[in-house]
């Protein structure tokens, strides 16, 4: 082989390596997590700071990468044509065909697929390592990037794309769900973040205690009657009303009651605190701020006619963020109790949205005119049902197992097999779904294997510790 052919081969290898470099850079900067990069920069990483500068000038970066990648790919194809023309001088057409095939295969395997696959797995690390090189290349290709930026502005003026509104709440929740699924954050942290994101959408109507369940006391009640109410119900605060519960005038705290209990003359009005009024559509975040500012723990909820719809407490609001809060005297009540693999008992006072979420039922919160399971069941029947009446809803069988003359107190739910809705899926859609399922199965096997290995290691450590303790005892003896 002539020295010229060897030089051509070396040139193709170098250009393929450069093609791999540019392809890896493109994938790394497309798939990196900007939040992780910011954290690295805040920790003092100079490379991460340079990478962030490139991300902030993404148009210039991607133009530089694409220019470099196309130059080396075209150069590699040209040199390969010269090489095979030199090797097969008698048949130039065959040389061109072989050159095209060889360059295509080499570029695909070593210049595109392999480097992009590796860069995707180590995007942040690779991006920070090559940041300095890319900054130099961006500087070299500045005339070209300037020219293409002008072309980009012309296209924007011609097509007038919609303005970027930034990340929506739904997108942020999807990110949290992905992070929870992939193990970036645990389930409890994910639920807390999701609750905080959705908190501003909640209103008093979603969590308040309805009027029929409110324990209140009349303003002229006797001391013994008040004492019995506090003892029997275990509440630390009681709403105080005059004439009827629609006219609540204050809130009496248990501590204030017992502080002045032994006085001969005891008047509730002297020791009760001021009432805070909110409406059913009041935003929870604003109610929370109102309670904090007033140093209060309870607010009275008004209906549209000015009457008492119920009450809402500070604990109710906080539970929407951190989950149920039980104290030593609370009776733990589960709204949804699983009695078998596909059978459940559900309390009539359970939030209907919680039930729908539990059974993966589609619903529009704006269209739901009821907030409890009891209200929804009555709405579906069109009347207050009797015990043992039942109906089907999608893949659920609903049966009333406890009810009175006014409401449904408990229902039985059986979950039937949900029909797979694959009618609209094409063959290609099913192919990709099958591929994703295979990946999930493989990941599940790896997780189980890692867990098994971890348990084995822990057993060995315990065994070693036990033996060491035994040896220590023997030595002491």
């Amino acid at each position: 082989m002539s020295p010229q052919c060897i030089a051509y081969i070396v040139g193709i290898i170098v250009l393929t390596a450069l093609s791999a470099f540019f392809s890896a850079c493109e994938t790394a900067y497309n798939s990196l997590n900007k939040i992780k990069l910011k954290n690295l920069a805040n920790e003092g990483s100079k490379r991460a700071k340079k990478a962030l500068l490139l991300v902030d000038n993404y148009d210039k970066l991607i133009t530089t990468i694409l220019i470099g990648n196309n130059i080396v790919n075209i150069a590699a194809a040209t040199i390969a044509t010269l090489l095979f023309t030199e090797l097969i001088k008698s048949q130039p057409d065959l040389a061109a065909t072989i050159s095209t095939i060889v360059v295509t295969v080499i570029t695909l395997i070593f210049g595109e697929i392999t480097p992009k696959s590796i860069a995707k797995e180590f995007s942040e690390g690779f991006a920070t390592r090559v940041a300095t090189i890319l900054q130099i290349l961006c500087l070299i290709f500045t005339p070209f990037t300037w020219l293409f930026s002008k072309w980009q502005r012309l296209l924007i003026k011609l097509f007038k794309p919609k303005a970027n509104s930034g990340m929506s709440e739904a997108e942020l929740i999807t990110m949290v769900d992905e992070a929870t699924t992939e193990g970036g954050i645990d389930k409890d942290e994910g639920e807390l973040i999701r609750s905080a994101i959705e908190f501003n959408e909640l209103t008093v109507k979603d969590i308040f205690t309805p009027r029929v369940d409110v324990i209140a006391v009349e303003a002229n009640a006797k001391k013994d009657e008040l004492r019995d109410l506090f003892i029997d119900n275990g509440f630390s605060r009681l709403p105080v009303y005059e004439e009827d519960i629609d006219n609540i005038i204050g809130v009496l705290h248990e501590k204030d009651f017992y502080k002045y209990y032994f006085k001969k003359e005891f008047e509730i009005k002297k020791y009760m605190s001021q009432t805070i009024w909110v409406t059913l559509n009041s935003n929870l975040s604003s109610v929370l701020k109102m309670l904090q500012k007033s140093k209060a723990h309870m607010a009275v909820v008004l209906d549209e006619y000015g009457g008492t719809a119920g009450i809402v407490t500070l604990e109710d609001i906080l539970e929407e963020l951190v989950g149920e809060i039980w104290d030593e005297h609370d009776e733990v009540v589960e709204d949804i109790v699983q009695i078998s693999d596909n059978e459940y008992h559900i309390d009539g006072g359970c939030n209907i949205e919680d039930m729908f979420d539990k059974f993966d039922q589609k619903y529009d919160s704006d269209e739901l005119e009821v907030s409890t399971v009891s209200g929804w069941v009555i709405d579906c029947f069109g009347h207050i049902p009797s015990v043992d009446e039942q109906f089907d809803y999608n893949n659920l069988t609903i049966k009333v197992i406890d009810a009175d003359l006014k409401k449904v107190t408990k229902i039985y739910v059986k979950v039937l097999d949900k029909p797979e809705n694959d009618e609209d899926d094409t063959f290609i859609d099913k192919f990709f779904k099958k591929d994703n399922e295979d990946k999930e199965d493989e990941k599940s096997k790896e997780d189980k294997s890692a867990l098994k290995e971890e348990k084995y290691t822990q057993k060995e450590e315990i065994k070693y510790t036990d033996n060491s303790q035994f040896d220590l005892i023997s030595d002491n003896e």
Side-chain angles (χ1 to χ4, degrees):
M1 187 179 290
S2 66
Q4 189 177 7
C5 291
I6 294 174
Y8 286 152
I9 293 172
V10 172
I12 292 171
I13 293 172
V14 172
L15 290 170
T16 302
L18 288 173
S19 176
F21 170 77
F22 285 115
S23 297
C25 289
E26 181 184 356
T27 301
Y29 276 89
N30 277 330
S31 58
L32 63 78
N33 188 322
K34 194 174 179 181
I35 297 172
K36 287 183 180 179
L37 212 58
K38 284 184 177 180
N39 288 335
L40 290 172
N42 292 333
E43 290 171 3
S45 173
K46 293 182 179 179
R47 289 178 176 179
K49 290 178 181 178
K50 290 182 178 181
L52 273 176
L53 286 173
L54 290 171
V55 172
D56 292 336
N57 293 276
Y58 184 76
D59 290 338
K60 183 180 288 187
L61 170 67
I62 197 65
T63 303
T64 300
I65 291 173
L66 292 175
I67 290 172
N69 204 11
N70 279 282
I71 288 174
V72 297
N73 285 339
I74 293 169
T78 303
I79 293 174
T81 302
L82 294 174
L83 171 64
F84 284 98
T85 302
E86 183 70 21
L87 293 174
I88 313 174
K89 294 180 180 179
S90 59
Q91 295 180 321
D93 292 339
L94 179 62
T97 303
I98 294 173
S99 170
T100 303
I101 294 171
V102 171
V103 170
T104 301
V105 172
I106 291 174
T107 302
L108 279 175
I109 296 174
F110 300 106
E112 295 290 336
I113 296 173
T114 303
K116 286 186 175 182
S117 299
I118 295 171
K120 185 177 181 296
E121 296 297 325
F122 309 99
S123 53
E124 288 83 17
F126 185 82
T128 54
R129 284 182 174 84
V130 300
T132 303
I133 300 172
L134 288 175
Q135 282 184 333
I136 295 170
L137 290 173
C138 286
L139 188 63
I140 294 170
F141 290 133
T142 297
F144 299 100
T145 55
W146 178 84
L147 183 63
F148 283 111
S149 67
K150 295 298 181 183
W151 172 249
Q152 184 185 18
R153 288 180 184 177
L154 177 62
L155 292 177
I156 290 173
K157 287 182 179 180
L158 289 174
F159 294 101
K160 295 180 181 178
K162 291 181 180 179
N164 185 13
S165 58
M167 184 178 292
S168 66
E169 183 178 301
E171 291 170 339
L172 187 56
I173 291 174
T174 302
M175 284 180 63
V176 173
D177 291 340
E178 287 292 326
T180 306
T181 304
E182 294 174 5
I185 56 177
D186 62 36
K187 186 178 179 181
D188 292 335
E189 290 173 339
E191 288 179 356
L192 183 60
I193 295 169
R194 188 185 181 104
S195 298
I197 295 169
E198 295 176 340
F199 183 71
N200 203 46
E201 294 182 355
L202 296 173
T203 62
V204 171
K205 184 181 179 181
D206 297 316
I207 66 165
F208 81 112
T209 301
R211 171 188 174 127
V212 293
D213 295 327
V214 173
I215 306 296
V217 62
E218 198 170 359
N220 58 2
K222 303 298 181 183
K223 287 193 294 184
D224 292 343
E225 184 182 347
L226 275 170
R227 181 198 61 201
D228 293 340
L229 278 174
F230 278 121
I231 293 173
D232 293 341
N233 297 287
F235 297 131
S236 59
R237 295 169 182 82
L238 291 175
V240 180
Y241 66 88
E242 284 184 336
E243 296 181 2
D244 60 47
I245 201 169
D246 282 320
N247 185 28
I248 293 178
I249 57 174
V251 176
L252 179 65
H253 198 291
E254 184 181 18
K255 288 182 180 179
D256 294 329
F257 168 69
Y258 283 113
K259 186 176 180 180
Y260 302 102
Y261 178 75
F262 293 102
K263 286 194 173 186
K264 291 182 179 179
E265 294 183 2
F266 180 86
E267 291 185 22
I268 294 178
K269 293 180 181 180
K270 287 183 179 181
Y271 312 118
M272 67 183 186
S273 57
Q274 187 179 357
T275 306
I276 295 175
W277 306 96
V278 296
T279 65
L280 286 168
N281 294 319
S282 296
N283 189 278
L284 281 192
S285 58
S286 62
V287 175
L288 178 59
K289 291 176 182 176
M290 189 187 303
L291 292 174
Q292 287 177 314
K293 187 176 180 181
S294 305
K295 297 180 181 179
H297 282 244
M298 181 186 292
V300 178
V301 184
L302 298 175
D303 60 24
E304 59 182 309
Y305 305 106
T308 300
I311 60 171
V312 64
T313 65
L314 186 61
E315 182 178 323
D316 295 331
I317 298 173
L318 294 178
E319 282 179 342
E320 288 303 310
L321 285 172
V322 299
E324 292 293 332
I325 301 172
W326 307 101
D327 63 28
E328 297 87 343
H329 304 289
D330 282 341
E331 180 184 353
V332 179
V333 178
E334 295 290 340
D335 288 334
I336 302 176
V337 179
Q338 186 170 358
I339 56 176
S340 71
D341 290 341
N342 62 339
E343 295 177 301
Y344 299 82
H345 282 167
I346 301 179
D347 189 84
C350 175
N351 188 290
I352 186 61
E353 293 185 15
D354 292 342
M355 173 183 157
F356 276 24
D357 288 337
K358 174 70 177 178
F359 300 120
D360 296 324
Q361 300 296 316
K362 293 181 179 179
Y363 68 92
D364 187 345
S365 58
D366 294 330
E367 293 182 1
L368 278 176
E369 297 181 356
V370 294
S371 58
T372 65
V373 168
S374 174
W376 175 71
V377 171
I378 292 171
D379 191 53
C380 290
F381 275 111
H383 63 273
I384 300 175
S386 303
V387 175
D388 292 337
E389 285 193 66
Q390 67 179 49
F391 67 96
D392 292 331
Y393 182 84
N394 293 338
N395 65 317
L396 304 177
T397 296
I398 313 293
K399 182 179 179 181
V400 179
I401 58 175
D402 194 9
D404 56 30
L405 296 175
K406 297 180 180 179
K407 62 182 183 298
V408 174
T409 52
K410 186 174 287 187
I411 64 169
Y412 160 87
V413 176
K414 184 174 183 180
V415 183
L416 308 175
D417 292 334
K418 199 170 185 178
E420 294 185 4
N421 189 19
D422 290 338
E423 296 178 359
D424 297 333
D425 290 346
T426 63
F427 170 77
I428 298 175
D429 294 331
K430 292 177 181 178
F431 171 78
F432 278 102
K433 281 186 178 180
K434 180 66 170 62
D435 190 38
N436 290 336
E437 289 172 1
D438 292 341
K439 287 180 181 178
E440 288 176 1
D441 291 340
E442 187 177 347
K443 185 180 178 183
S444 178
K445 288 179 182 177
E446 289 177 356
D447 292 341
K448 287 180 181 178
S449 177
L451 183 62
K452 188 176 180 182
E453 186 177 348
E454 184 181 349
K455 286 181 178 178
Y456 177 77
T457 305
Q458 290 174 350
K459 286 181 180 178
E460 289 296 316
E461 289 175 353
I462 293 169
K463 184 179 178 183
Y464 173 77
T465 305
D466 291 343
N467 289 336
S468 301
Q469 290 174 351
F470 179 75
D471 292 341
L472 183 62
I473 292 168
S474 300
D475 292 340
N476 291 334
E477 289 175 352

